[in-house]
Amino acid sequence: MIREKYINRDYYIRASSGGYALPMNIQRDLLTVNIFSRPGKKLSGVKALVVHWTGNPRTTAKQNRDYFESIKMQSLNDASARYASAHFIVGISGEVIQCLPSDELAYHVGAKSYTPEALGCLGTYPNNCTVGIELCHREADGRFSTETLLAAKELCALLCVQFGLSPVKDIWRHFDITGKDCPKWFVNHPEEFESFKDIVIVAMDRLRK
Ligand SMILES: [Zn+2]
């Protein structure tokens, strides 16, 4: 179980429209529009959140954000060029960086083939309808810090409220969509992924009050 270290209701800005804006401590550090990491296309809608691990132990949210920015320098003629990005990156200390507006397409879950569950719920190109969240980690085994999980929980709760999503069915691991070993800790410890979704539900209830 994840211990609640703090509950800070001032963490949120309640939008004047009655909806919810982003947590105040999300650092908006958007990528430059470029074909490799921010193509500037609109999502068809948001049907799900997808959680990932960075796979790079001890790297910060900022370093991972800067990596996504750096790949814009790749050559258009490079057949091995990488396309990669995510909307949000949650750091080891619980810091959160937003790399793309949450209504724009990111390259976080593309693959040659998808699981039947993903095809059924998210269609033939899940990047088109999902928000990607990268989680940083200290260890090679992918274990997440308490700070990372707390911030990720708050972020997921906010996005679930914003997009009308249900944590139990609408928060996916990358693994559930493509079979990739990501996020490794939640693939190896599925019960902890279930616990994570449960605490998102609790956080959502608190947001609505
Ligand atoms: Zn992933």
Side-chain angles (χ1 to χ4, degrees), residues 99-113:
C99 302
L100 287 93
S102 42
D103 64 348
E104 275 189 29
L105 183 140
Y107 293 129
H108 59 103
V109 76
K112 289 197 174 73
S113 64

Side-chain angles (χ1 to χ4, degrees), residues 1-2 190-201:
M1 275 305 290
I2 293 150
E191 71 288 353
E192 293 200 24
F193 182 57
E194 296 306 313
S195 297
F196 175 76
K197 289 188 284 187
D198 287 342
I199 63 168
V200 173
I201 295 170

Side-chain angles (χ1 to χ4, degrees), residues 50-53 108-109 134 174-175 180-183:
V50 183
V51 293
H52 304 264
W53 74 321
H108 59 103
V109 76
E134 291 277 354
H174 188 172
F175 170 78
K180 187 176 177 181
D181 190 18
C182 172

Side-chain angles (χ1 to χ4, degrees), residues 8 24 54 64 69 80-81 103-104 114-115 126 133 153 155 159-160 176 186 199:
N8 181 1
M24 288 170 68
T54 64
N64 283 282
E69 179 72 15
S80 62
D103 64 348
E104 275 189 29
Y114 300 98
T115 62
I133 302 169
K153 169 199 72 170
L155 177 63
L159 293 169
C160 282
D176 300 315
F186 282 158
I199 63 168

Side-chain angles (χ1 to χ4, degrees), residues 3-206:
R3 189 165 58 90
E4 290 280 355
K5 285 195 354 187
Y6 57 83
I7 299 171
N8 181 1
R9 294 186 61 85
D10 295 331
Y11 194 61
Y12 303 99
I13 309 166
R14 191 182 289 261
S16 57
S17 64
Y20 292 89
L22 293 170
M24 288 170 68
N25 71 344
I26 287 183
Q27 185 188 338
R28 209 170 150 89
D29 193 359
L30 300 182
L31 305 178
T32 310
V33 175
N34 74 92
I35 68 163
F36 297 109
S37 54
R38 186 182 170 192
K41 295 177 188 160
K42 292 289 183 197
L43 292 175
S44 61
V46 177
K47 290 184 179 172
L49 310 180
V50 183
V51 293
H52 304 264
W53 74 321
T54 64
N56 282 315
R58 289 176 297 285
T59 54
T60 65
K62 172 70 171 158
Q63 286 170 326
N64 283 282
R65 181 266 170 210
D66 289 348
Y67 167 71
F68 291 148
E69 179 72 15
S70 73
I71 61 175
K72 74 181 178 186
M73 303 307 291
Q74 296 174 108
S75 166
L76 289 170
N77 301 320
D78 181 355
S80 62
R82 292 204 58 185
Y83 294 77
S85 50
H87 296 86
F88 296 92
I89 307 172
V90 182
I92 293 167
S93 303
E95 74 275 25
V96 182
I97 296 179
Q98 182 173 13
C99 302
L100 287 93
S102 42
D103 64 348
E104 275 189 29
L105 183 140
Y107 293 129
H108 59 103
V109 76
K112 289 197 174 73
S113 64
Y114 300 98
T115 62
E117 295 76 20
L119 288 169
C121 296
L122 307 174
T124 55
Y125 188 54
N127 275 332
N128 246 337
C129 61
T130 56
V131 166
I133 302 169
E134 291 277 354
L135 306 181
C136 296
H137 51 97
R138 282 195 190 91
E139 310 297 337
D141 65 6
R143 178 193 298 265
F144 299 116
S145 71
T146 304
E147 290 80 4
T148 300
L149 289 174
L150 283 170
K153 169 199 72 170
E154 301 289 357
L155 177 63
C156 287
L158 200 75
L159 293 169
C160 282
V161 170
Q162 185 177 349
F163 294 110
L165 304 177
S166 161
V168 170
K169 73 176 180 58
D170 298 329
I171 301 179
W172 298 58
R173 298 169 297 184
H174 188 172
F175 170 78
D176 300 315
I177 298 175
T178 70
K180 187 176 177 181
D181 190 18
C182 172
K184 189 179 183 68
W185 188 261
F186 282 158
V187 173
N188 291 337
H189 302 86
E191 71 288 353
E192 293 200 24
F193 182 57
E194 296 306 313
S195 297
F196 175 76
K197 289 188 284 187
D198 287 342
I199 63 168
V200 173
I201 295 170
V202 174
M204 283 176 74
D205 288 343
R206 197 177 299 132

